[in-house]
Amino acid sequence: MSKTMETSPTVVDIHTHIYPPSYLSLLRSRTTVPYLLDLPNKYSPPRLIILPSDDDASIPPDSRGRPIDTSYSSIQEKLRFMDIHNIHTSVISLANPWLDFLPPDESVNWARTVNDELEAICTQNNENRLYAFATLPLSSSPKLIVEEINRLKELPHVKGIILGTTALGSGLDDPALNTIWSALEQTKSLIFLHPHYGLPNQVYGPRAAEYGHVLPLSLGFPLETTIAFTRMWLSGVFDRFPALRVLIAHAGGAVPFLTGRIESCVQHERSFEPNGDGVRRGPRRDLKTVLRENVWLDAVVYEEASVRAAVELVGKEKVMFGTDHPFFPPLEQGAEKWESVATNLKAVAGTEARDVIMGGNAMELLGLNGVSG
């Protein structure tokens, strides 16, 4: 057992993904982004073309997108990864881009298929090892989305939902989301807010291709999440639905570092001042209160100072360990220990809140009462 986990009775991975077989079949049936590109060499893993920048005919097929080996879909490999890193329980979720790209008449059936498959995977691997965040048919109507939210409560291993930043297509400040926010609040469903779309490609400049995925993943994803959550707060979502619960990926993006600046800008925003009617516009609950009462953060940030900032912002009981498996695998052929996981463990181990971050907080939040290491 690793030194950083010796005194931690249970480790729960709150941020870990999978592409179940049904979803890979869906991607393989497509020819536009997102899709799965099988290579002529049957011994080479297929390539996941997930971003428009990956779908470039000038790039050799075996260099486009991301190679998708069995670690992305095999639950046995997921369990083996957990055993190697002393992780007792994982809350698996479908990786981006979820079902956002489907036409409305297909999304509900696919959501049910994928969610039922995730539930079956968790059921077959008992002993409290696997739970799941479900996905929603967001291209469908709000009525059908709410029906799926309510149906998910019948699946005992589903502990919430994973949500992208565009939601119905117009972002998280879209008034059309009100019925969905209401259903998620009423069912006490945790929302795992996760990026996918990044920032417009032009912000990365004309030399972006030289840097591979570094700019979109390191900066685009966290800033996408930061903007999406801030829009959610500015539009009064947490005023209208004060019991909504949100887990923000990647330690909240830039939110822990920009909270003061965001609040200062709101306080000085002239368009929020009363316009002769005595009514001040903008969010009623201040950002720090919402972060303390409605928000949890994962610790997938790879730096002790950043973990400390997350703890300082939301409280030590609101930060949870994650690996982002199967992304960021070892670069050394045959290596079993993942450097990305070791870096995250080191970041968490340096904090006084290590034990609760490693598992206690997730057990409390998700009601994983039967889990023990």
Side-chain angles (χ1 to χ4, degrees), residues 302-315:
Y302 312 108
E303 171 58 51
E304 182 182 328
S306 301
V307 175
R308 290 185 183 278
V311 169
E312 180 69 22
L313 182 68
V314 298

Side-chain angles (χ1 to χ4, degrees), residues 93-111:
S93 55
L94 182 66
N96 48 306
W98 314 290
L99 303 173
D100 295 6
F101 55 88
L102 288 175
D105 60 339
E106 295 181 17
S107 61
V108 171
N109 285 338
W110 271 110

Side-chain angles (χ1 to χ4, degrees), residues 229-298:
F229 171 75
T230 304
R231 287 173 59 183
M232 191 179 178
W233 170 66
L234 284 172
S235 67
V237 169
F238 296 100
D239 298 327
R240 297 189 298 278
F241 307 100
L244 211 57
R245 305 186 304 169
V246 180
L247 164 65
I248 310 180
H250 311 126
V255 172
F257 308 97
L258 296 179
T259 296
R261 181 174 179 83
I262 294 168
E263 286 201 315
S264 178
C265 289
V266 167
Q267 291 165 3
H268 294 87
E269 177 52 51
R270 296 182 186 278
S271 67
F272 288 165
E273 290 295 325
N275 296 322
D277 55 7
V279 177
R280 180 174 175 83
R281 288 153 184 82
R284 293 194 298 275
R285 296 172 66 200
D286 67 86
L287 183 54
K288 290 180 182 176
T289 298
V290 168
L291 289 167
R292 285 276 176 172
E293 296 180 358
N294 298 85
V295 171
W296 285 255
L297 305 176
D298 72 23

Side-chain angles (χ1 to χ4, degrees), residues 13-20 69-95 118 121-122 125 129-131 322-327 336 338 341:
D13 184 355
I14 199 77
H15 186 158
T16 178
H17 299 297
I18 192 168
Y19 290 123
D69 61 23
T70 53
S71 66
Y72 287 82
S73 58
S74 168
I75 201 62
Q76 294 310 313
E77 291 200 34
K78 176 78 71 180
L79 292 168
R80 183 170 178 272
F81 166 85
M82 292 166 61
D83 290 340
I84 289 171
H85 295 90
N86 300 298
I87 297 167
H88 184 274
T89 298
S90 288
V91 185
I92 58 176
S93 55
L94 182 66
L118 290 176
I121 288 170
C122 295
N125 297 275
R129 297 223 71 187
L130 296 175
Y131 294 89
T323 65
D324 214 350
H325 180 267
F327 299 94
E336 289 199 329
W338 288 42
V341 177

